[in-house]
Amino acid sequence: MSSAALLAFAGVALLCVATPGPTTLLALSNGSRFGLRAALPGMAGAVVSDLLLMAAATAGLSTLLTASASAFAVVKWVGVAYLAYLGVRLLQKSTALSPVQAATALDIRPTSSALFLRSFLVAVTNPKAYLFFAALLPQFIDPAQPQAAQYTVLALIFGSLDLVTMAAYAVAGERATRFFDAASTRLRIDRACGATLLLLATSLALLRRPPSDA
C-alpha cells in the first residue's frame, strides 16, 4: 500500500468522522456533562464499533444486508429505535425539569460500561455504516499485496482519527461549560444533540435497501 493511498484514505476518513454523527454527538454531550476523561469509555465503544464494522464489511456482511430484505430491515429498525430513544431521552431530561433540576439530573454519570455500550450500539445498528465501509475500503487496497494487513492498517487509521475527533468534540463540550453558564450550556447542548439524533433516526428510517446484483 503506497503512502499516497494512505494519505488519501486518511483525508477521506477525517472528513467522514469530523461530520457530526451519533457517536460524535454523544461525545459532545458526555464531554459537556462529565468531562473528557469520563467520556472516554463512550469513545472507546465507538472505536470498537468502527473496527467491528470494518471487519464485518470486509467479511461480506454488507452483501448480506444488500441481498436480504429482512436482515437489512432488522438492522435498520433497531438502529432507528435506538437513535430515537437516545434523542427523546436527552430532550426529556432537558425540558421536563427546571434548568437547575435538569442540570443536576444530567450530571448523574452512567457507568463506564453504559457509556461504552451506548456509543457501541449506536454505530453497530446503522446499516449505512456497513455499506459505507464496503464501498470505501476496497478503493484503497492493493490487490497485489496481502489484503489482511492492508485492511488492518486502514482500520487503525480510521479508528485513531475517529478517537481524536470525538475527543475534540468532548473537549469542546467541556470547555463550553467552563466559559459559559454551565447549567444552561449543558441543557442547550443536550437539546441540540437530542434533536439531531431524532433527525438522524428519521433519516435512517427513510433509508432504502440498495438493489441487489443477484
Side-chain angles (χ1 to χ4, degrees):
M1 187 181 297
S2 67
S3 299
L6 291 176
L7 288 174
F9 176 79
V12 173
L14 183 59
L15 180 62
C16 294
V17 298
T19 303
T23 54
T24 51
L25 292 173
L26 288 177
L28 175 64
S29 175
N30 291 334
S32 70
R33 285 188 275 159
F34 316 125
L36 173 62
R37 180 175 297 181
L40 286 174
M43 299 179 208
V47 172
V48 171
S49 72
D50 287 339
L51 302 179
L52 182 61
L53 287 169
M54 296 176 82
T58 57
L61 182 56
S62 56
T63 302
L64 172 63
L65 293 178
T66 302
S68 172
S70 58
F72 184 87
V74 168
V75 175
K76 169 184 169 178
W77 289 111
V78 169
V80 169
Y82 195 62
L83 281 175
Y85 163 75
L86 292 177
V88 169
R89 190 165 179 267
L90 285 175
L91 288 175
Q92 283 181 333
K93 283 191 173 183
S94 62
T95 58
L97 305 173
S98 69
V100 174
Q101 290 173 323
T104 301
L106 289 171
D107 281 336
I108 301 175
R109 194 176 89 185
T111 63
S112 295
S113 59
L115 291 172
F116 179 94
L117 285 173
R118 190 175 296 171
S119 293
F120 177 80
L121 292 174
V122 159
V124 297
T125 55
N126 186 353
K128 289 194 291 186
Y130 296 94
L131 302 176
F132 168 77
F133 282 127
L136 175 68
L137 298 180
Q139 300 181 46
F140 298 92
I141 296 296
D142 183 354
Q145 301 294 327
Q147 296 194 10
Q150 295 181 75
Y151 278 114
T152 299
V153 170
L154 295 182
L156 291 175
I157 291 174
F158 193 96
S160 299
L161 290 174
D162 197 13
L163 179 61
V164 171
T165 301
M166 287 185 292
Y169 272 82
V171 168
E174 184 179 21
R175 294 285 176 84
T177 60
R178 292 180 180 178
F179 287 109
F180 305 100
D181 178 70
S184 61
T185 299
R186 289 169 184 167
L187 290 178
R188 290 191 182 97
I189 289 175
D190 279 289
R191 287 171 183 170
C193 289
T196 305
L197 286 173
L198 288 178
L199 288 175
L200 291 172
T202 302
S203 173
L204 183 55
L206 298 175
L207 179 68
R208 295 185 177 182
R209 180 171 63 96
S212 174
D213 294 332

